[in-house]
Amino acid sequence: MMRTRPLKVALLGCGVVGSEVARIMTTHADDLAARIGAPVELAGVAVRRPGKVREGIDPSLVTTDATALVKRGDIDVVVEVIGGIEPARTLITTAFEHGASVVSANKALLAQDGAALHAAAGEHGKDLYYEAAVAGAIPLIRPLRESLAGDKVNRVLGIVNGTTNFILDKMDSTGAGYQEALDEATALGYAEADPTADVEGFDAAAKAAILAGIAFHTRVRLDDVYREGMTEVTSADFRSAKEMGCTIKLLAICERAKDGASVTARVHPAMIPLTHPLASVRGAYNAVFVESDAAGQLMFYGPGAGGSPTASAVLGDIVAVCRNRLGGSTGPGESAYAALTVSPMGDVVTRYHISLDVADKPGVLAQVATVFAEHGVSIDTVRQQGKDGEASLVVVTHRASDASLTGTVEALRKLDTVRGVASIMRVEGE
């Protein structure tokens, strides 16, 4: 039997995502009520600009006093889609204190203060759900912390930022340079006026921290994630990748060490084989590849951003939280029992593609090979092209640690025959 008293939802933020959440709550009200077991009512909308016309939203629900809204006491669920650290953090903790559960899409806040927010939710017996914080509409958080709760996840490898994937895909498919591809992404609305958070990897790093924490039952903060942007990727890098049967993607990579005692989390551009499922992810789409002991290899794919896709994930969380509310229970909280060590980037072992500008004369290859050998880095393949006293030397290594590769490059720069290091690219997905 359906409860007639509605569950009340307060919406913090009414931009692209928030307005779509409100629209779906209104147009799908009967379906949502049937799925939850009670009606859901939009009880208030906190905004910064109250005078703006918001189609489909009763103006009497709009307020600029977000604090008063979350303190009302009759609110069942607070939906936070304003982003940033403050005032979002204070509003979320205030919501818990006044009896509301929280649904958030705030990846930056969760990556920085997820442990404290989970603790506040647990203290007050409330839910904290955040499916929309990573990869938009793609169901990923819930499968990791519920569907795979009985399994051991060893690796999460993914494209979690649509802007960067659009840019790199455009560079790959058309031969465009970075700036040209970025300009097109901006014109089409895929890139912000200031794209720094995307192209420098900050957005993906926050998502990697969240994914690693859930996958490995270990607290992983944003500061624990190695981050390298993609602004230095060139058309020449794509030509080299194609010669190896690869393409280039900005990847978020979370891995458990083989001995099981530590984990790593990192974001950086990497070459991946064209045979890998992630290589075929085009445009602004996202995809995450999960490897676990029992389930094996799983891939989650779909639109990773935008009003409707992100709102879909928010509404899914609202339904789950409201069901918990009616049942007098809460869903999964933070699982950090493993408390594994988060290792630095220097410990990461992978393959490398190194392009060197060298003098075109006898003995150069031998000198370079000696430097690699002295630092314990094994060479897989070498390709050399020379003309008019100058040459390019491309070296692909076997697996080596980041620390040993760094030492190798420093030593190479000291050779008189090495004019410069044109590029260094990791090779993943093998």
Side-chain angles (χ1 to χ4, degrees):
M1 182 174 177
M2 183 180 293
R3 193 182 81 165
T4 56
R5 185 174 68 81
L7 291 158
K8 295 188 176 182
V9 175
L11 182 60
L12 308 183
C14 198
V16 173
V17 176
S19 59
E20 191 66 7
V21 169
R23 183 191 69 80
I24 295 173
M25 284 185 63
T26 301
T27 59
H28 295 181
D30 292 342
D31 286 339
L32 290 173
R35 294 165 191 172
I36 292 168
V40 181
E41 173 187 296
L42 186 60
V45 182
V47 300
R48 286 183 297 178
R49 297 186 294 275
K52 181 180 178 180
V53 176
R54 294 174 172 84
E55 187 176 347
I57 296 177
D58 183 347
S60 68
L61 298 178
V62 176
T63 178
T64 57
D65 194 343
T67 301
L69 179 59
V70 300
K71 282 184 173 181
R72 272 178 37 174
D74 64 334
I75 301 296
D76 295 286
V77 184
V78 168
V79 177
E80 183 271 309
V81 287
I82 56 177
I85 305 302
E86 288 292 356
R89 174 171 49 198
T90 299
L91 290 170
I92 288 173
T93 55
T94 302
F96 291 141
E97 292 166 0
H98 287 78
S101 289
V102 173
V103 171
S104 176
N106 196 330
K107 54 190 171 287
L109 178 58
L110 289 159
Q112 178 173 306
D113 288 323
L117 295 178
H118 274 294
E123 178 184 351
H124 297 283
K126 304 304 174 200
D127 275 323
L128 173 62
Y129 275 50
Y130 43 92
E131 185 67 63
V134 179
I138 304 173
L140 185 58
I141 300 298
R142 195 169 290 117
L144 279 175
R145 72 176 184 176
E146 296 182 30
S147 303
L148 295 174
D151 206 344
K152 179 183 178 184
V153 176
N154 296 309
R155 195 177 197 222
V156 180
L157 172 76
I159 299 164
V160 295
N161 182 277
T163 299
T164 55
N165 198 59
F166 178 89
I167 293 170
L168 292 173
D169 182 41
K170 185 61 62 174
M171 293 176 70
D172 184 28
S173 61
T174 69
Y178 166 75
Q179 189 60 52
E180 183 183 353
L182 172 60
D183 290 344
E184 181 171 350
T186 304
L188 292 172
Y190 291 126
E192 300 287 346
D194 179 2
T196 302
D198 295 321
V199 300
E200 293 295 352
F202 291 101
D203 175 84
K207 295 170 182 176
I210 295 169
L211 291 174
I214 296 170
F216 306 132
H217 305 279
T218 293
R219 286 180 178 171
V220 180
R221 289 172 51 89
L222 182 58
D223 292 344
D224 296 321
V225 181
Y226 172 82
R227 178 194 55 79
E228 183 181 318
M230 48 156 282
T231 57
E232 301 301 318
V233 176
T234 66
S235 299
D237 292 325
F238 274 100
R239 288 193 293 271
S240 294
K242 288 181 179 179
E243 290 174 356
M244 292 178 58
C246 293
T247 188
I248 299 171
K249 299 292 187 181
L250 185 76
L251 299 178
I253 306 170
C254 312
E255 293 180 305
R256 186 192 301 268
K258 289 185 178 180
D259 63 7
S262 64
V263 298
T264 57
R266 50 198 167 100
V267 168
H268 54 70
M271 294 182 180
I272 58 172
L274 294 175
T275 54
H276 194 281
L278 291 178
S280 61
V281 178
R282 312 301 297 269
Y285 274 69
N286 284 193
V288 178
F289 203 73
V290 178
E291 300 175 11
S292 67
D293 277 0
Q297 297 179 332
L298 306 169
M299 183 169 166
F300 301 84
Y301 169 84
S308 294
T310 305
S312 171
V314 170
L315 265 295
D317 279 350
I318 291 174
V319 169
V321 170
C322 286
R323 286 172 175 170
N324 292 343
R325 195 88 169 178
L326 288 180
S329 63
T330 56
E334 183 190 31
S335 175
Y337 74 89
L340 301 176
T341 300
V342 183
S343 297
M345 186 63 186
D347 293 347
V348 171
V349 175
T350 189
R351 297 179 66 206
Y352 290 87
H353 176 283
I354 304 103
S355 180
L356 304 171
D357 295 325
V358 299
D360 185 16
K361 63 182 183 180
V364 173
L365 180 56
Q367 286 183 329
V368 169
T370 297
V371 170
F372 276 88
E374 288 174 347
H375 288 81
V377 179
S378 175
I379 294 176
D380 182 17
T381 62
V382 177
R383 185 175 70 254
Q384 184 174 6
Q385 294 179 324
K387 184 179 180 181
D388 299 328
E390 298 295 331
S392 63
L393 191 65
V394 175
V395 178
V396 180
T397 74
H398 288 290
R399 292 177 66 83
S401 72
D402 187 81
S404 63
L405 197 281
T406 298
T408 302
V409 172
E410 290 176 353
L412 288 170
R413 294 183 192 277
K414 296 177 182 178
L415 293 178
D416 292 338
T417 52
V418 174
R419 309 295 194 225
V421 180
S423 69
I424 303 171
M425 185 82 61
R426 295 171 184 85
V427 182
E428 300 284 349
E430 296 183 299

